[in-house]
Amino acid sequence: MTTPFSETLRNSTWADHEDAESESYLSALMSGRLSEHEYGQMVAQHYFAYAALDGVSRRLAGHPVAGRFVFPELFREPALERDLTTIYGPGWRERIAPSKSTRTLVARIQQVADWPAGYVAHHYTRYLGDLSGGQFIRMELQKIYGYPKGGGVDFYFFDELGSLPRFKNDYRSRLDTLGLELDERERHRMIREVKLAYQLNTEVLTELMHTVKAAA
């Protein structure tokens, strides 16, 4: 394998990444057409997804392969709780529920907990996106809703990581090492799982848009 695995992974899933970014819910959100509570519906779905992902991460922290990708600094549950408190108030837990598509995503994250490369596929899909395009989303949301740091968009702040470019380079190096350890069949299997992860996350946004339209 001459091409670094992180590059192969990115190139093989770029179309899926673009499909997720062009989803109409995000378009409506970024253009300022959604209310604060409609934005909060996405935050709520993030909460359930990351509760599952962070939970699996804690279980796999000591795993010789998956454990290399477990960074407590990335855990998003506390930040999402602050965001939901800001958006919905202290009773936010009674006001949110996982959508059908989120339940499907959560089930898949839990299913791959026993497959290290599958876990990494979902970890990579979410967190590298949050650390890249997610930073642009955060800046736009702050302009639209006026959130300061401390609640509303804390999900997108990763201050404990220090330099985000340096962290992402280290993360990609870990992916490259993993790619060298996997045989060709397993590498292709992981690429398919990343594509599935993008699909499942996009379906969450699609369902959110249907919910917004139905309430209009």
Side-chain angles (χ1 to χ4, degrees), residues 22-39:
S22 65
E23 173 54 44
S24 60
Y25 175 89
L26 284 182
S27 299
L29 178 66
M30 299 298 280
S31 64
R33 290 184 281 123
L34 300 185
S35 70
E36 183 181 17
H37 283 192
E38 288 170 335
Y39 158 61

Side-chain angles (χ1 to χ4, degrees), residues 65 69 123 129 179 198:
V65 176
F69 295 85
H123 193 277
Y198 274 121

Side-chain angles (χ1 to χ4, degrees), residues 39-55:
Y39 158 61
Q41 291 176 31
M42 182 181 73
V43 180
Q45 301 315 308
H46 280 348
Y47 175 77
F48 294 109
Y50 281 89
L53 186 57
D54 292 350

Side-chain angles (χ1 to χ4, degrees), residues 101-122:
S101 51
T102 295
R103 292 195 299 271
T104 300
L105 172 60
V106 166
R108 186 58 185 170
I109 290 171
Q110 294 171 338
Q111 285 170 2
V112 299
D114 295 327
W115 171 31
Y119 159 75
V120 175
H122 286 267

